[in-house]
Amino acid sequence: VGEYGVLVHNDCGSATDGSGQDSRQAKSDQLAANKAAGKAYQDQKASELKSDPSVTDFYEEVTLKPIDSTTGEPIKGQSIRVDGIGKQNGQVTIFEMKSSNTAPFTDNQVLAGYQDIDATLSRDYIVVGNKGGDVWTGETIKAGTPIVVFRKE
């Protein structure tokens, strides 16, 4: 009891989520589960796109940087990592896979023009790398390029 007759209790233990589990651990576990579900859904959709005869030159996890319209140089700090890029019916198309109806776009994706319906790139981007090697590297992806967003039902 403190000087003014107030009982003071400081608990420096871990915060719990009501079940007795550390809430930080629960959040960490949920993030890991979300990441795994996202990767599994991305792999599934990528496999479907690779076997789709209307999609050619498909590559996964490609990094794009926006191009400054004045200088023609890549802009630092606004890169996007697209889940997939390819040509659908001969037209360059970006593919984004979201493992839930509520999975948000990143801030840089929003700047790039990502949205769920009728999405197109908002500016020119340059391919700076991809997990598959040098394919597409150095290519300019023009403003207006379609972005197809798949969301798991």
Side-chain angles (χ1 to χ4, degrees), residues 21-35:
Q21 182 178 11
D22 185 334
S23 62
R24 290 175 300 233
Q25 183 62 46
K27 277 186 180 180
S28 176
D29 291 348
Q30 185 62 55
L31 286 172
N34 290 351
K35 183 177 180 180

Side-chain angles (χ1 to χ4, degrees), residues 79-96:
S79 297
I80 55 174
R81 179 87 171 206
V82 302
D83 290 339
I85 189 170
K87 293 180 182 172
Q88 187 170 41
N89 299 316
Q91 181 179 22
V92 174
T93 304
I94 293 169
F95 300 95
E96 178 67 20

Side-chain angles (χ1 to χ4, degrees), residues 64 91-94 111-115 118-125 140-148:
L64 310 178
Q91 181 179 22
V92 174
T93 304
I94 293 169
L111 285 173
Y114 280 59
Q115 58 187 19
D118 298 329
T120 60
L121 275 185
S122 59
R123 64 186 329 160
D124 291 351
Y125 279 75
T140 298
I141 310 301
K142 296 288 188 185
T145 296
I147 303 166
V148 176

Side-chain angles (χ1 to χ4, degrees), residues 4 8 13 22 30-31 37-38 42 45 47 50-52 56 58 61-62 70 80 85 89 97 100 104 118 130 133 138:
Y4 299 102
V8 178
D22 185 334
Q30 185 62 55
L31 286 172
Q42 180 182 337
K45 292 308 287 184
S47 179
K50 288 175 184 176
S51 64
D52 183 337
T56 59
F58 179 82
E61 297 184 15
V62 178
T70 306
I80 55 174
I85 189 170
N89 299 316
M97 296 79 157
S100 78
D118 298 329
N130 69 68

